[in-house]
Amino acid sequence: MPGAWPAPNSSSGGSAPAPAGQGCAAGLEGHLAEFSAPVPALLAVLMGLAALATVLGNALVALAFVVDRSLRTHRNFFFLNLAIADFMVGAFCIPLYIPYTLTGKWMFGRGLCKLWLVIDYVVCAASVFNIVLISFDRLISVTKAVSYRAQKGRTKSAVVKMAMVWVMAFLLYGPAIISWEHITHEQILADTDCYAEFFCNWYFLLIASIIEFFTPFISITYFSLSIYCNIRKRMSSRTKNFPLCQQDCEMLSDEEKQVCTPFFINVKRKRNQEKPGNRSFSMPSVSTCMHSSLMVTFCVQLLSEDLYCKT
């Protein structure tokens, strides 16, 4: 997360003692002036493109959700929530992070620094929690398909879960960023610095890392493995039962065969249609093209936002 790493500090002199609490951050500080002129320019262009891709990609996701009513499902509400969090990263967090990184000085005041840090930490944490929520929703849709379909059109529960994601993300970092200097009764930041003051407290960093990284990582791994095992179990049971159903159909009476036989005829027809000689080319629909383009842009902006949150 960018707010957790202090940007290069050029305000302190070579022999002046570091303020209290800044000793742990001193070893992490560098200066882009050590590089040649093209390096900062290249970094500025790359970060600007990352911000632009994040904003455009998430804006397209939100626009598709508004325009296409078929996308307003229970599951897609969580993708919309993820798009909102990522959009805020590209529209607000990265643009302020670029000049701070290139110059090594915060030039926007202490109030905007606090606001930037709160939004930065909260939206990155919310993005992680949204991914966990999407994985959990997929697990429920696979393991409890009947009950999941029954509440598919209910958006109230989805909105409540979306709100809980933001509340959890804010409670994790918001109070600490806002009131840390009042808790410790000291201010360790210079006027040209802007990073979270709990950066030097490894107790807090350990707890926050467990909640924001290790727990989501283990949860997503468990959900994915559970979905995989459940699908494999279903497929193996279906392949075993399908031949028996066909044999039982052949043993039925003529009237019962009229009800049972069309199922196997339709399956045979579908298999014949899938043969290379019977395939016919058809133009993809507008909805298919729109969904494909949105998926590509969403993956690009998610990658750029993920790289930002880990720098």
Side-chain angles (χ1 to χ4, degrees):
M1 187 169 296
W5 299 93
N9 182 14
S10 60
S11 60
S12 59
S15 60
Q22 285 189 340
C24 64
L28 297 173
E29 295 177 352
H31 205 286
L32 288 176
E34 299 176 359
F35 300 97
S36 57
V39 175
L42 179 61
L43 291 176
V45 172
L46 292 178
M47 288 188 286
L49 291 177
L52 182 62
T54 303
V55 171
L56 293 180
N58 288 286
L60 286 176
V61 173
L63 179 63
F65 192 86
V66 173
V67 173
D68 194 347
R69 292 181 176 272
S70 63
L71 296 177
R72 301 176 191 176
T73 60
H74 184 271
R75 176 182 299 175
N76 289 340
F77 270 93
F78 303 144
F79 283 100
L80 176 64
N81 205 29
L82 178 62
I84 293 174
D86 295 344
F87 179 86
M88 294 178 66
V89 171
F92 182 78
C93 298
I94 299 181
L96 292 179
Y97 183 64
I98 293 175
Y100 182 40
T101 302
L102 297 180
T103 62
K105 297 180 181 180
W106 181 261
M107 301 172 290
F108 306 106
R110 183 59 54 197
L112 187 57
C113 172
K114 287 285 186 181
L115 179 63
W116 176 64
L117 288 175
V118 171
I119 295 178
D120 184 28
Y121 275 90
V122 170
V123 296
C124 288
S127 180
V128 174
F129 295 156
N130 273 311
I131 296 175
V132 177
L133 181 60
I134 292 172
S135 300
F136 176 74
D137 182 74
R138 288 177 176 175
L139 176 64
I140 297 300
S141 66
V142 173
T143 57
K144 299 180 181 179
V146 177
S147 59
Y148 182 83
R149 291 177 182 177
Q151 56 179 332
K152 192 174 182 179
R154 303 175 184 176
T155 59
K156 185 177 180 180
S157 60
V159 174
V160 171
K161 294 176 182 177
M162 292 165 60
M164 289 178 60
V165 165
W166 289 100
V167 171
M168 291 174 57
F170 177 79
L171 292 178
L172 180 59
Y173 288 113
I177 296 174
I178 295 173
S179 60
W180 191 268
E181 60 186 23
H182 301 290
I183 296 175
T184 59
H185 301 288
E186 63 177 355
Q187 184 175 353
I188 64 175
L189 291 181
D191 294 336
T192 56
D193 290 335
C194 183
Y195 60 88
E197 294 177 286
F198 55 74
F199 178 78
C200 299
N201 191 307
W202 71 271
Y203 299 102
F204 182 88
L205 292 179
L206 178 61
I207 296 174
S209 298
I210 292 174
I211 297 175
E212 187 186 3
F213 177 75
F214 292 105
T215 302
F217 176 77
I218 296 173
S219 300
I220 293 173
T221 303
Y222 171 75
F223 296 152
S224 302
L225 290 176
S226 300
I227 292 172
Y228 174 77
C229 294
N230 189 280
I231 294 177
R232 285 293 300 270
K233 185 178 180 180
R234 287 186 183 183
M235 295 298 295
S236 61
S237 62
R238 286 182 180 180
T239 53
K240 292 179 181 179
N241 296 332
F242 183 77
L244 296 178
C245 294
Q246 189 171 3
Q247 292 175 3
D248 294 339
C249 182
E250 294 175 355
M251 297 173 62
L252 297 176
S253 61
D254 295 335
E255 295 180 357
E256 293 172 334
K257 281 184 179 181
Q258 293 179 358
V259 179
C260 182
T261 304
F263 170 77
F264 298 100
I265 294 177
N266 291 334
V267 173
K268 187 175 181 181
R269 287 177 179 176
K270 289 181 179 179
R271 290 178 178 176
N272 292 334
Q273 291 176 359
E274 292 177 357
K275 292 181 179 180
N278 296 331
R279 291 179 180 175
S280 58
F281 176 78
S282 59
M283 293 295 294
S285 61
V286 176
S287 179
T288 302
C289 295
M290 187 176 184
H291 291 176
S292 300
S293 61
L294 287 177
M295 184 60 66
V296 173
T297 55
F298 183 76
C299 292
V300 172
Q301 60 82 20
L302 185 62
L303 177 61
S304 61
E305 185 270 342
D306 185 64
L307 292 174
Y308 166 76
C309 288
K310 288 177 174 56
T311 54

